[in-house]
Amino acid sequence: EAGVAQSPRYKIIEKRQSVAFWCNPISGHATLYWYQQILGQGPKLLIQFQNNGVVDDSQLPKDRFSAERLKGVDSTLKIQPAKLEDSAVYLCASSFSGTNTEAFFGQGTRLTVV
Amino acid sequence: GENVEQHPSTLSVQEGDSAVIKCTYSDSASNYFPWYKQELGKRPQLIIDIRSNVGEKKDQRIAVTLNKTAKHFSLHITETQPEDSAVYFCAASPPGSARQLTFGSGTQLTVLP
């Protein structure tokens, strides 16, 4: 089966610029997650969608981060304006709904803020 | 919220030896504990998981044990091979349909030939 697709793979921007990441989950997966993985750390959940609704965005820095999943399929994560500490890999994952489901990860977008 | 601690942060073993990675969690309500393997520059991939109604699960050379009372779980890899070299992450998730994973900080496993 096709995996979770993310683009771009790499992005370098200057601080205070804006950036957007795109994710296409596995077909049929209603749940979509965005994780931030800082170098040397485990992934940290930023936001979780169930179809096109937000389940949890408690760890999303809402003053600069936003995410949407308008049609319940693809999702975009935006940072505006970016800070140096936003440098990380942004991982998208998806899963079927339900309690016994595996989360499948995309390859991630490596963001470097200079 | 949930807090997952993982150790050691780095682990080197000789090929053929066993490797053990340990994690503790804070939320007694957590009931799903997956382990992910992440090779350099690649996506995390699930290698094994365990649910709280089971104490041990094994899949070929990989096993996971869970102690709910002590709130810790461990990954055991036997007969290690060079291709087992990677970063391993444990995670914990609360019950319900929202599978929000809280990850540990990772263990860099190096298998020396």
Side-chain angles (χ1 to χ4, degrees), chain B residues 14-37:
Chain B
Q14 290 294 137
E15 183 177 358
D17 286 351
S18 296
V20 180
I21 302 170
K22 298 181 179 181
C23 289
T24 60
Y25 61 99
S26 61
D27 187 352
S28 57
S30 289
N31 67 348
Y32 174 66
F33 307 92
W35 286 87
Y36 282 82
K37 176 183 180 181

Side-chain angles (χ1 to χ4, degrees), chain B residues 25-62:
Chain B
Y25 61 99
S26 61
D27 187 352
S28 57
S30 289
N31 67 348
Y32 174 66
F33 307 92
W35 286 87
Y36 282 82
K37 176 183 180 181
Q38 187 174 29
E39 297 178 35
L40 189 63
K42 297 191 176 181
R43 72 190 75 196
Q45 292 196 299
L46 181 72
I47 55 170
I48 195 167
D49 57 16
I50 191 167
R51 289 169 175 82
S52 60
N53 59 345
V54 176
E56 184 174 359
K57 183 177 178 180
K58 189 173 182 180
D59 182 4
Q60 299 182 354
R61 297 186 297 109
I62 296 173

Side-chain angles (χ1 to χ4, degrees), chain A residues 38-85:
Chain A
I38 293 172
L39 186 64
Q41 298 181 19
K44 184 185 84 171
L45 180 70
L46 293 175
I47 189 168
Q48 177 181 348
F49 292 94
Q50 182 75 15
N51 296 308
N52 61 348
V54 175
V55 173
D56 186 348
D57 63 358
S58 58
Q59 297 190 84
L60 187 74
K62 298 181 187 63
D63 57 333
R64 298 184 299 107
F65 286 65
S66 63
E68 59 183 14
R69 193 185 183 198
L70 293 176
K71 296 184 178 179
V73 181
D74 293 3
S75 177
T76 56
L77 176 70
K78 296 179 182 178
I79 308 175
Q80 179 180 6
K83 292 185 176 181
L84 296 176
E85 58 261 37

Side-chain angles (χ1 to χ4, degrees), chain A residues 3-4 9 33 35 37 40-43 45 48 55-56 91 98-103 105-107, chain B residues 32 36 38 41-46 49 51 89 95-106:
Chain A
V4 177
R9 286 296 311 278
Y33 317 79
Y35 286 87
Q37 187 175 24
Q41 298 181 19
L45 180 70
Q48 177 181 348
V55 173
D56 186 348
L91 293 163
T99 58
N100 296 310
T101 58
E102 174 186 348
F105 283 84
Q107 295 242 356
Chain B
Y32 174 66
Y36 282 82
Q38 187 174 29
K42 297 191 176 181
R43 72 190 75 196
Q45 292 196 299
L46 181 72
D49 57 16
R51 289 169 175 82
F89 292 99
S97 61
R99 276 294 181 207
Q100 298 170 12
L101 297 174
T102 299
F103 284 86
S105 54

